[in-house]
């Protein structure tokens, strides 16, 4: 496979992401003014989105792994075909979604002429949109450069191996985002009410839920991914365990950042446009230097370093100082407590259920059995500890129980 095909494939595969961002902005705009809470627009979106995302993943995997399924054309033409299909898929998805929304909400119309008048009436919308675009573009550029760097400093084969892992983890990330993204509008309403105590309570409820989900998924991925790849593709496709740890650290930060992002967006705090730019620069600098010396682990360290400095360190400080207007010390106390709580059950389960006793790589039956035991044990222990030692999960549990009585 030549370099031109790799570059063209990666470029074409990014186009649907721009459409996805545009669709996301469109959905959020309509979600703010929806009146029917029994049929949220996001549910309609996901009915259309999941088949599209599955097809998108299959096509991307075919290209990156060098699959010769389309044997009648050269691989370069296969790359062009895959990219064109992805672009077409994004357009079709947007059209179907717009038709479905119009069908369910016929009164909800968007008119360009009315939009121009509203932009003049609310000029802050333009400012926020430009700032938000920089943030989205920064995140997009950062995560799309990793395959290029892996190809440049390691090999094309490693791009395919790495793609097998990210194929699984990315879809889990999308699932978590869609699962918890429905709370975005509620966060905005909560902030508008201005009840500081209530805001803090809901913030830590969301943080607790995310830590519970992120901890369970991360531990399951650490223990089960290698065996799954071995059963799915073969043992030769399994990456070293330390690389899996780096991938999961990266994804864990992405899983747990959601509550900070929700409240940052709720307060309209987009003015730190330097942050995504700095994030990209840090990522590329560390990835290029470390990738030159250590290959794939060094490249992954670029992502982790930039996420740690900007997402883990800066964003909470920015939210607490400009939004909550209280000391960020409260955040770090709660964050470290949650982190220690989700680590403890992982250590217990690691020693309690060693993989050698279950041999999950021997068959899918063993793998499923091992996964069920691990996930259920870890989930019960973590949920119990979070309920006992953190107010967020405790308040969330009481809310659920109260609703069902």
């Amino acid at each position: 496979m030549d370099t031109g095909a790799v570059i063209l494939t990666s470029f074409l595969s990014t186009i649907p992401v721009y459409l996805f961002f545009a669709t996301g902005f469109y959905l959020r705009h309509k979600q703010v003014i929806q009146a029917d809470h029994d049929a949220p627009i996001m549910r309609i979106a996901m009915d259309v989105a999941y088949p599209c995302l599955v097809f998108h993943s299959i096509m991307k995997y075919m290209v990156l792994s060098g699959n010769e399924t389309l044997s009648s054309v050269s691989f370069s033409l296969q790359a062009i075909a895959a990219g064109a299909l992805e672009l077409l898929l994004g357009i079709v998805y947007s059209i179907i979604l717009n038709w479905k929304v119009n069908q369910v909400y016929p009164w909800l119309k968007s008119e360009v002429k009315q939009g121009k008048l509203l932009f003049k009436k609310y000029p802050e919308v333009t400012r926020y949109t430009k700032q938000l675009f920089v943030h989205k573009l920064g995140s997009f550029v950062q995560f799309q450069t990793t395959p290029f760097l892996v190809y440049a400093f390691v090999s094309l084969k490693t791009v395919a191996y790495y793609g097998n892992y990210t194929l699984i983890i990315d879809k889990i990330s999308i699932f978590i985002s869609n699962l918890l993204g429905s709370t975005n509008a509620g966060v905005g309403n909560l902030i508008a009410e201005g009840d500081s105590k209530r805001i803090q309570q809901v913030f830590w409820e969301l943080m607790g839920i995310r830590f519970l989900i992120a901890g369970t998924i991360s531990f399951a991925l650490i223990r089960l991914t290698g065996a799954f790849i071995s059963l799915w593709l073969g043992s030769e496709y399994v990456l070293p365990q330390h690389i899996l740890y780096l991938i999961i650290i990266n994804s864990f930060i992405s899983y747990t950042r959601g509550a900070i992002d929700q409240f940052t967006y709720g307060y309209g705090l987009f003015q730190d446009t330097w942050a995504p730019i700095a994030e990209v620069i840090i990522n590329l600098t560390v990835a290029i230097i470390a990738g030159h010396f250590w290959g794939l682990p060094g490249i992954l360290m670029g992502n982790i370093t930039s996420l740690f400095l900007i997402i883990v360190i800066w964003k909470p400080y920015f939210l607490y100082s400009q939004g909550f207007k209280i000391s960020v010390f409260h955040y770090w106390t709660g964050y470290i407590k949650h982190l220690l709580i989700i680590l403890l059950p992982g250590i217990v389960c690691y020693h309690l259920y060693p993989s050698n006793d279950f041999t999950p790589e021997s068959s899918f039956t063993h793998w499923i059995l091992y996964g069920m035991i691990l996930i259920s044990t870890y989930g019960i222990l973590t949920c119990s500890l979070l309920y006992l030692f953190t107010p967020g999960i405790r308040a969330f549990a009481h809310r659920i129980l109260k609703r069902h009585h």
Side-chain angles (χ1 to χ4, degrees):
M1 177 170 150
D2 59 5
T3 307
V6 175
I7 295 173
L8 182 60
T9 301
S10 298
F11 171 73
L12 289 173
S13 68
T14 62
I15 297 174
V17 181
Y18 283 112
L19 291 170
F20 186 76
F21 284 156
T23 305
F25 182 81
Y26 167 78
L27 286 172
R28 282 174 174 79
H29 164 70
K30 290 200 170 185
Q31 197 175 19
V32 170
I33 54 175
Q34 71 174 10
D36 186 358
H37 295 284
D38 294 327
I41 292 177
M42 282 306 296
R43 191 183 304 160
I44 299 169
M46 293 320 301
D47 288 342
V48 180
Y50 274 120
C52 297
L53 289 170
V54 169
F55 183 72
H56 167 241
S57 301
I58 292 170
M59 292 306 301
K60 194 167 185 178
Y61 177 74
M62 286 171 59
V63 172
L64 288 177
S65 62
N67 192 311
E68 295 297 337
T69 304
L70 304 178
S71 55
S72 61
V73 295
S74 68
F75 193 81
S76 295
L77 290 177
Q78 184 182 8
I80 295 172
L85 280 170
E86 289 192 41
L87 175 58
L88 179 63
L89 184 65
I91 295 171
V92 171
Y93 169 49
S94 299
I95 293 171
I96 295 173
L97 182 61
N98 190 56
W99 168 76
K100 189 67 177 178
V101 170
N102 288 335
Q103 186 183 52
V104 178
Y105 300 95
W107 51 268
L108 197 57
K109 298 292 183 182
S110 298
E111 297 179 9
V112 176
K113 185 177 180 181
Q114 186 181 12
K116 290 180 179 179
L117 296 174
L118 291 173
F119 269 126
K120 293 178 181 179
K121 186 177 180 180
Y122 304 103
E124 65 273 13
V125 172
T126 305
R127 185 176 73 254
Y128 287 151
T129 302
K130 290 178 180 178
Q131 293 171 348
L132 186 58
F133 176 77
V134 175
H135 285 275
K136 292 292 186 182
L137 188 61
S139 299
F140 169 71
V141 170
Q142 177 179 350
F143 287 104
Q144 289 298 316
T145 53
T146 301
F148 283 109
L149 294 171
V150 175
Y151 175 64
F153 290 105
V154 191
S155 67
L156 184 61
K157 183 171 73 172
T158 307
V159 175
Y161 288 5
Y162 173 73
N164 296 331
Y165 281 71
T166 56
L167 184 69
I168 299 167
I169 293 171
D170 287 350
K171 295 305 164 265
I172 294 173
S173 297
I174 291 171
F175 171 75
I176 294 175
S177 297
N178 292 327
L179 181 67
L180 300 177
S182 58
T183 60
N184 288 344
V187 168
N189 292 335
L190 179 68
I191 291 172
E193 291 172 3
D195 186 342
S196 299
K197 185 178 179 180
R198 177 72 174 153
I199 289 171
Q200 284 296 302
Q201 179 188 330
V202 173
F203 173 77
W204 283 109
E205 283 184 42
L206 293 173
M207 283 292 290
I209 294 167
R210 285 187 176 272
F211 264 89
L212 174 61
I213 294 173
T216 304
I217 290 175
S218 297
F219 180 71
L221 287 172
I222 289 172
R223 304 301 296 158
L224 298 171
T225 302
F228 179 77
I229 295 292
S230 181
L231 289 169
W232 176 33
L233 300 170
S235 58
E236 66 272 17
Y237 289 88
V238 178
L239 293 173
Q241 193 70 7
H242 68 277
I243 293 179
L244 177 61
Y245 288 144
L246 293 175
I247 293 173
I248 290 174
I249 289 171
N250 199 337
S251 62
F252 179 83
I253 295 173
S254 299
Y255 297 155
T256 55
R257 66 179 289 181
I260 292 288
D261 287 344
Q262 283 179 304
F263 280 83
T264 301
Y265 289 1
Y267 279 103
L269 300 175
F270 308 124
Q271 63 265 35
D272 61 331
T273 50
W274 63 269
I277 298 171
E279 194 175 347
V280 171
I281 293 172
I282 293 168
N283 176 32
L284 291 177
T285 303
V286 174
I288 290 171
I289 295 172
H292 175 73
F293 290 103
W294 300 301
L296 181 56
I299 294 168
L300 295 176
M301 282 303 301
N303 270 338
I304 293 171
T305 304
S306 62
L307 287 174
F308 180 77
L309 293 176
I310 302 300
I311 304 303
V312 178
I313 301 295
W314 163 251
K315 285 295 184 180
Y317 171 78
F318 184 52
L319 173 62
Y320 269 72
S321 60
Q322 301 297 317
F324 296 157
K325 300 190 184 302
I326 58 175
S327 173
V328 74
F329 175 78
H330 297 286
Y331 172 80
W332 286 115
T333 304
Y335 186 91
I336 293 171
K337 183 193 292 186
H338 281 77
L339 199 58
L340 292 174
I341 287 173
I342 66 170
L343 283 174
L344 183 59
I347 296 171
V348 172
C349 291
Y350 179 82
H351 292 287
L352 195 61
Y353 304 116
S355 59
N356 293 336
D357 294 348
F358 292 86
T359 59
E361 68 282 350
S362 61
S363 70
F364 276 110
T365 303
H366 284 209
W367 184 84
I368 292 170
L369 177 64
Y370 186 51
M372 289 173 63
I373 294 171
L374 274 181
I375 293 170
S376 59
T377 306
Y378 179 90
I380 291 169
L381 288 174
T382 306
C383 193
S384 301
L385 290 174
L386 286 171
Y387 181 85
L388 291 173
F389 296 105
T390 64
I393 288 294
R394 196 158 53 242
F396 177 73
H398 291 164
R399 184 200 301 271
I400 298 297
L401 292 173
K402 188 182 296 184
R403 184 170 295 179
H404 286 83
H405 279 80

